Amino acid sequence: MDPLRQELDRSPRALDEDAFFTEDRSTTTTARVAFQFDLDAKGTRGASRSVAFSGFLNKHNIFTMTRVNPLPHARRTDAGAIDKSIAKWQHEATYKCFLSKAARGINPNGPNQQALRIVVLFGVGSELFRHGICGAVEDSSRPTLLIDVRGIEPQHIIKFHNPDSPKDSKELAANNRWGVGITETSIQMIVASLYGRLIRYEISICAAFSTGYLGLQDSISKRLFPLDNLERVVLFDCLYGSLKGALERVQAIKGSAQIVAYIVTPGGNSFPKGEERFETLTLGKNPRWHYINLYIGTPMGIQYHAIASARLIAEAVSTSPPILDSLPADYLKAFADLSARLPARGQVVSSESIFLKVKGALPSSAQSLEKFSSVAGNKTATGNFYKQVSVTRKCITRAQLLGWNALPLGEEWHDMLLIEFAWEYLI
């Protein structure tokens, strides 16, 4: 498709089945069909036709478990009020789980096994697929179980159950965001299901992305699982003011636990109204926390956007048939120049100084965003590509490369963060 003159009505990939990145693809392909609309100069849809794309199923083995959400829902009516008619009703939580290579090698009956490392990511539920998170933890040196907890967005259709009358249920739009939690009991059930029995484990990392901050904060505040072995809490562009108590509780219980917060967009974090910039972050300037400033429009933010979006474009032009098959010549040149210089995915460190504080040393194959962009040729290549950001945004939104029409401005900054930097602190 030509993103300057056409758009798709849906994503060319299935969010819960397809691998978005080459390294996560299986050899099994499937056809994905969308309607492609022609656009006039004002962006109004005209003629359409059905087009087929190749979907690549995720090669990673994903285990899914459902349990009742241990946190109360906050469903609203269409008028915006709390829906009191189902105040005590419940709904199921979805936990998608992935074992790293080292974790798959554990013999549950063997002696002196290394403890299974539990990483809980509170998100929107599609991170293992469209963000390539499995690949980020696959080669972790420590055996790792990644549990992705699906939070609730307003457009989700939720099946509610009346606990006092099990046969009584309703399917309703959430009309709000709320947290989905996970208990230690559920974690133990997941571990036992994967290994045939409960083995030794430690809950080592908790992370949140997007609406997942609600599940993280309430799971910690309500003491749903122990924090004794927690090494790190990672916030992927979701440092909201309401997290203050939960984060302070983490460090009160486990003083050595690191708090790492990526700050990228004004809508993904709390700021004083009218003063949405990194320096005025509501929960900013805590000397015990680590802030990674990739804020929209800043020099490092621009470098991040250029690199991450180039990876998305690369995936869209390399498939057969390609998702994007018509791009301006000057755009293709800028894209080719940057692509030729890009380190592999999972080798760019967002902030060298913070990585050293948290982990002690850079991986031998990695280089920092600062050092990459300090090389004159690299800086020129990223700058030239970013000058074409309006075309990039049309590629991302009109071809739905992130799985949805990522508008308004800033949404793709938020949504590309895990694609580029999840590997840093989830392992």
Side-chain angles (χ1 to χ4, degrees):
M1 64 162 288
D2 180 349
L4 301 187
R5 298 176 179 84
Q6 297 167 328
E7 72 177 5
L8 301 180
D9 72 330
R10 68 194 66 184
S11 174
R13 293 157 173 159
L15 269 65
D16 291 330
E17 295 182 42
D18 295 347
F20 272 39
F21 295 93
T22 303
E23 57 266 32
D24 297 316
R25 295 174 184 170
S26 72
T27 57
T28 303
T29 61
T30 186
R32 301 300 182 196
V33 178
F35 278 98
Q36 178 177 288
F37 289 84
D38 293 333
L39 302 174
D40 64 18
K42 294 182 179 179
T44 303
R45 286 181 173 183
S48 67
R49 65 184 180 92
S50 177
V51 291
F53 301 98
S54 293
F56 299 86
L57 297 186
N58 195 316
K59 73 178 182 182
H60 304 291
N61 187 23
I62 308 298
F63 170 77
T64 301
M65 176 177 281
T66 58
R67 300 282 290 165
V68 171
N69 182 10
L71 300 175
H73 72 83
R75 200 260 169 187
R76 292 184 179 272
T77 65
D78 292 340
I82 292 294
D83 190 348
K84 296 180 181 179
S85 69
I86 56 168
K88 295 182 179 180
W89 289 36
Q90 300 171 329
H91 70 93
E92 289 188 334
T94 301
Y95 307 126
K96 292 181 178 177
C97 312
F98 170 68
L99 288 172
S100 70
K101 182 178 180 181
R104 297 194 299 273
I106 288 179
N107 176 359
N109 300 309
N112 304 318
Q113 288 288 353
Q114 185 178 4
L116 179 66
R117 186 171 182 252
I118 307 290
V119 176
V120 184
L121 172 62
F122 297 87
V124 298
S126 57
E127 290 82 5
L128 301 190
F129 298 91
R130 69 190 183 108
H131 293 100
I133 304 300
C134 294
V137 304
E138 167 69 351
D139 294 322
S140 173
S141 60
R142 295 165 61 184
T144 299
L145 166 60
L146 173 64
I147 303 175
D148 190 15
V149 182
R150 181 180 186 263
I152 303 301
E153 297 279 3
Q155 70 275 15
H156 289 178
I157 303 300
I158 309 298
K159 186 173 184 179
F160 294 93
H161 302 271
N162 183 351
D164 297 326
S165 179
K167 294 183 179 180
D168 197 5
S169 66
K170 294 181 182 179
E171 287 193 354
L172 300 167
N175 289 344
N176 199 9
R177 292 180 174 85
W178 65 79
V180 172
I182 188 168
T183 64
E184 183 178 22
T185 298
S186 290
I187 291 172
Q188 290 176 346
M189 290 181 67
I190 291 169
V191 173
S193 295
L194 290 168
Y195 288 100
R197 70 177 185 85
L198 187 62
I199 65 171
R200 191 163 63 95
Y201 70 90
E202 295 176 349
I203 303 172
S204 301
I205 296 174
C206 289
F209 168 68
S210 197
T211 196
Y213 84 94
L214 292 164
L216 181 142
Q217 79 177 23
D218 291 344
S219 292
I220 291 172
S221 298
K222 295 183 181 295
R223 307 186 180 193
L224 298 187
F225 53 77
L227 305 175
D228 309 72
N229 294 305
L230 202 63
E231 300 170 8
R232 192 157 53 245
V233 174
V234 188
L235 302 166
F236 292 101
D237 200 44
C238 59
L239 185 59
Y240 291 95
S242 61
L243 281 162
K244 184 174 186 290
L247 297 178
E248 289 178 344
R249 180 172 184 267
V250 166
Q251 291 196 309
I253 291 174
K254 188 70 181 295
S256 62
Q258 305 271 9
I259 309 294
V260 180
Y262 294 84
I263 310 301
V264 184
T265 62
N269 307 277
S270 290
F271 300 90
K273 189 174 182 180
E275 299 181 46
E276 292 83 2
R277 59 186 190 277
F278 178 80
E279 293 74 17
T280 61
L281 191 64
T282 299
L283 295 184
K285 301 177 181 177
N286 187 316
R288 299 178 65 194
W289 299 358
H290 304 293
Y291 304 91
I292 299 174
N293 182 8
L294 299 175
Y295 199 65
I296 185 169
T298 62
M300 285 301 100
I302 287 171
Q303 295 290 322
Y304 145 66
H305 187 285
I307 290 172
S309 62
R311 298 198 199 281
L312 275 180
I313 303 302
E315 295 292 340
V317 299
S318 64
T319 57
S320 180
I323 297 170
L324 301 172
D325 58 12
S326 181
L327 290 166
D330 54 347
Y331 183 84
L332 284 172
K333 182 181 185 308
F335 165 68
D337 289 347
L338 177 56
S339 297
R341 296 172 174 274
L342 283 184
R345 216 174 127 234
Q347 293 186 7
V348 178
V349 171
S350 58
S351 169
E352 182 171 350
S353 61
I354 291 175
F355 198 96
L356 294 176
K357 289 177 182 177
V358 175
K359 291 199 162 184
L362 292 182
S364 59
S365 60
Q367 62 177 302
S368 68
L369 192 60
E370 301 101 317
K371 286 186 178 177
F372 175 83
S373 60
S374 69
V375 175
N378 295 346
K379 186 175 182 180
T380 299
T382 51
N384 288 341
F385 184 67
Y386 188 75
K387 287 177 183 176
Q388 306 262 0
V389 67
S390 63
V391 177
T392 298
R393 294 202 79 240
K394 286 183 173 67
C395 292
I396 292 173
T397 58
R398 291 178 174 176
Q400 299 201 31
L401 299 184
L402 288 168
W404 60 299
N405 195 321
L407 292 172
L409 179 64
E411 287 299 320
E412 83 273 13
W413 295 72
H414 176 77
D415 221 10
M416 293 191 301
L417 186 56
L418 285 169
I419 290 170
E420 192 63 32
F421 295 121
W423 72 275
E424 291 188 291
Y425 300 114
L426 290 185
I427 60 173

